[in-house]
Amino acid sequence: MAKTVIAVFSNEQVAKEAVEDLRRAGFEREISILAKDQGREGGDQEGGLNMGADTGGISDGVTTGGVLGGLAGLAAGAGALVIPGIGPLIAAGPIAGLLSGAATGGVAGGLIDWGIPEAEGREYENEIRQGKMLVSVRCDDQRADQANKILKDHGADRVRIH
């Protein structure tokens, strides 16, 4: 059975180091990253959803966020999307596809598909709105404990397995 390990980080560099350690441990396509795109704050796309495979080089690790761009470059399928009420986001990994169809339900609505209760999804949504980063790993039961340990060892604000 698949599990989702979600960590919230306040510091971009610490989140990047955690993702790098996850990759060294053999996690690749399972890693997702979600964060507010501070460089496009207040842009004219606030009211709609815009999902693109290439948003000015995010997949190359170049974006207005600097470190955040490097962070997004560590996961597959980086892109940008705009969710009403939150604004522009950078999403990388499986979460990008999950949220691309969740414009009306926001982040919380998209996370329900991964077994995360809506109330908890709203907490994650609020943390992203406040500028924090979400790093998640979708994997089997055996690997979930390993991902959980790596994320905790990096001092995530909060880590949960769902």
Side-chain angles (χ1 to χ4, degrees):
M1 180 175 186
K3 298 268 187 178
T4 303
V5 183
I6 297 185
V8 177
F9 289 90
S10 299
N11 181 293
E12 293 173 7
Q13 184 60 40
V14 174
K16 182 179 178 183
E17 291 167 1
V19 170
E20 289 170 344
D21 276 356
L22 286 167
R23 291 186 73 193
R24 278 192 283 275
F27 295 99
E28 289 290 333
R29 296 190 176 274
E30 304 93 338
I31 301 170
S32 291
I33 300 161
L34 185 62
K36 199 160 186 170
D37 185 351
Q38 305 295 349
R40 295 192 316 146
E41 195 68 44
D44 61 354
Q45 298 176 349
E46 186 76 27
L49 177 69
N50 177 23
M51 183 69 191
D54 184 5
T55 60
I58 289 174
S59 60
D60 295 320
V62 179
T63 187
T64 55
V67 174
L68 187 57
L71 182 62
L74 293 174
L81 58 124
V82 178
I83 294 185
I86 298 177
L89 301 175
I90 295 174
I95 202 165
L98 183 73
L99 295 179
S100 67
T104 57
V107 172
L111 292 176
I112 288 173
D113 289 346
W114 278 355
I116 296 161
E118 186 175 359
E120 192 160 343
R122 295 267 176 241
E123 290 176 29
Y124 292 129
E125 198 171 282
N126 286 331
E127 289 174 310
I128 292 166
R129 190 177 285 119
Q130 295 167 16
K132 295 183 180 184
M133 289 131 285
L134 204 77
V135 174
S136 69
V137 180
R138 185 103 168 118
C139 56
D140 60 31
D141 288 345
Q142 294 84 11
R143 304 232 36 222
D145 289 334
Q146 181 184 15
N148 182 53
K149 181 179 180 343
I150 290 168
L151 293 166
K152 281 185 176 180
D153 286 351
H154 279 280
D157 296 351
R158 165 168 70 125
V159 183
R160 292 201 179 128
I161 298 176
H162 298 278

